[in-house]
């Protein structure tokens, strides 16, 4: 989503682009991006965004440690969050309005976990017979099965981590643990286990949090 500047016709080297983001250094503090001749502000969730396209882009950037800048013309650009910063993507006083938005994302993430679990179970169930009179053939079957199971386990782990990221983002923005549990078809204890303290920035733990996050920690 980054805008690039072209060298001038005079052949001179272009100066540093204010709208360029170094995506390889997530801890860097990027210069304020510019578009349409002015600095473009950080975008938060917008309740009037009917199709939620930009809202989902904002939320996805937040779980990945970035923020979205939005120009009035529709141009979007991501920049890395300063190291240690906690993304706040809900406008002040509007947390209740966005509970359905967060729960939809969590429900989708939980569905991906369920799909990954099914795929892992199928890899186990579909494994061909491993017993063979040929030792080399049996070793090859074992190696193939191990590779398939490792790949499926990796997909499952990735899906669980994505669900944890979505839960953490929702809790930070005031979604109750009870609602998260209901949307994911998990017990509240399971949700709290996913929201282990190590996943939550230190500034949001204990007495410094709202009731929902304090319960999760």
């Amino acid at each position: 989503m980054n805008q690039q500047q072209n060298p001038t016709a005079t052949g001179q080297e272009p100066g540093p682009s204010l709208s360029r983001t170094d995506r390889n250094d997530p801890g860097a503090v990027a210069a304020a991006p510019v578009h349409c001749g002015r600095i473009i502000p950080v975008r938060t969730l917008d309740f009037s965004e009917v199709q939620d396209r930009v809202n989902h882009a904002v939320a996805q950037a937040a779980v990945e440690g970035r923020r979205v800048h939005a120009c009035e013309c529709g141009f979007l650009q991501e920049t890395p969050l300063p190291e240690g910063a906690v993304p706040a993507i809900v406008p002040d006083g509007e947390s209740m309005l966005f509970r359905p938005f967060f729960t939809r994302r969590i429900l989708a993430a939980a569905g991906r976990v369920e799909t990954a679990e099914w795929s892992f179970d199928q890899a186990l169930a579909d494994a061909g017979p491993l017993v063979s009179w040929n030792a080399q053939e049996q070793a090859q079957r074992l190696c193939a099965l191990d590779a398939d199971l490792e790949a499926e386990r990796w997909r499952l782990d990735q899906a669980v981590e994505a669900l944890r990221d979505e839960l953490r983002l929702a809790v930070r923005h005031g979604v109750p643990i009870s609602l998260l549990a209901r949307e994911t078809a998990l017990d509240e204890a399971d949700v709290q286990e996913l929201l282990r303290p190590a996943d939550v920035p230190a500034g949001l733990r204990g007495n410094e949090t709202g009731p929902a996050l304090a319960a999760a920690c």
Side-chain angles (χ1 to χ4, degrees):
M1 283 192 279
N2 296 339
Q3 178 190 20
Q4 295 181 349
Q5 294 182 351
N6 297 322
T8 62
T10 61
Q12 295 179 345
E13 290 295 324
S17 170
L18 290 177
S19 63
R20 183 180 182 278
T21 302
D22 187 356
R23 298 288 291 275
N24 296 323
D25 185 4
V29 179
V34 172
H35 198 257
C36 293
R38 56 183 177 273
I39 293 175
I40 51 179
V42 174
R43 170 68 183 269
T44 57
L45 300 183
D46 184 352
F47 193 69
S48 65
E49 180 73 21
V50 178
Q51 296 183 354
D52 274 347
R53 180 185 67 86
V54 178
N55 284 343
H56 283 295
V58 169
Q60 190 60 38
V63 299
E64 295 173 0
R66 301 191 298 275
R67 57 191 170 189
V68 173
H69 300 257
C71 181
E72 292 180 358
C73 73
F75 174 83
L76 302 177
Q77 179 175 326
E78 296 178 8
T79 60
L81 284 165
E83 187 174 357
V86 177
I89 61 174
V90 173
D92 291 342
E94 297 185 9
S95 60
M96 286 286 292
L97 296 177
F98 291 100
R99 285 185 180 181
F101 171 81
F102 287 116
T103 54
R104 285 197 303 272
R105 288 183 60 89
I106 289 167
L107 189 57
R112 289 189 287 270
V113 171
E114 185 175 345
T115 299
E117 288 176 338
W118 181 88
S119 183
F120 181 77
D121 290 342
Q122 284 297 110
L124 285 172
D126 294 344
L130 300 178
V131 177
S132 171
W133 294 109
N134 186 306
Q136 182 177 2
E137 182 181 353
Q138 181 167 336
Q140 290 174 344
R141 291 178 180 177
L142 286 170
C143 184
L145 174 62
D146 184 64
D148 288 344
L149 291 178
E150 184 177 355
E152 294 298 338
R153 170 57 67 184
W154 181 85
R155 293 188 186 97
L156 178 55
D157 289 344
Q158 292 296 108
V160 171
E161 283 302 315
L163 175 58
R164 176 178 288 119
D165 287 339
E166 294 294 344
L167 290 170
R168 181 173 53 199
L169 185 68
V171 168
R172 284 175 172 168
H173 292 91
V175 182
I177 295 292
S178 58
L179 180 58
L180 300 179
R182 184 167 68 248
E183 290 298 326
T184 54
L186 295 172
D187 293 334
E188 290 189 27
D190 294 329
V191 175
Q192 291 176 7
E193 185 177 351
L194 282 170
L195 287 165
R196 57 180 182 255
D199 288 333
V200 183
L204 291 177
R205 296 180 189 164
N207 295 330
E208 299 176 22
T209 70
L213 190 54
C217 297

